Amino acid sequence: MVNLELYGSARCPYTQELREWLEWTRRDFTEYDVEADSDARARMHALDSSVRTVPVLVEDGKVIQVGWQGRGCIVESE
């Protein structure tokens, strides 16, 4: 079974849109808010240290998508 993780932010409308698309397509995923959870932000940066935009979709430990339909929200680094 594919393990999907969605790294995003509660304030980012594109995170919400990607979440809704994943739910609509009946994909199981785990979601993390990188602005509220510093451990999640650290895991996201460990996957790809250049990523500063959410949403980020990760499949089996590999980043497969950054942003949603060409759009995203920049998150601040710690």
Side-chain angles (χ1 to χ4, degrees):
M1 178 142 166
V2 174
N3 180 29
L4 278 179
E5 297 175 304
L6 172 59
Y7 291 86
S9 167
R11 69 170 182 82
C12 180
Y14 311 117
T15 297
Q16 179 179 342
E17 289 178 18
L18 179 50
R19 178 189 325 108
E20 290 171 357
W21 180 80
L22 289 168
E23 290 170 346
W24 187 76
T25 58
R26 300 177 190 223
R27 305 286 303 267
D28 290 327
F29 63 97
T30 304
E31 184 174 356
Y32 302 100
D33 186 332
V34 299
E35 291 187 318
D37 182 347
S38 60
D39 291 336
R41 182 174 34 251
R43 285 194 306 276
M44 181 181 80
H45 287 207
L47 292 165
D48 185 339
S49 62
S50 67
V51 172
R52 298 288 182 257
T53 302
V54 293
V56 175
L57 191 59
V58 176
E59 181 178 270
D60 292 330
K62 295 183 182 176
V63 175
I64 61 168
Q65 181 175 324
V66 177
W68 173 246
Q69 298 183 338
R71 300 169 294 170
C73 300
I74 295 174
V75 292
E76 298 297 322
S77 299
E78 284 191 300

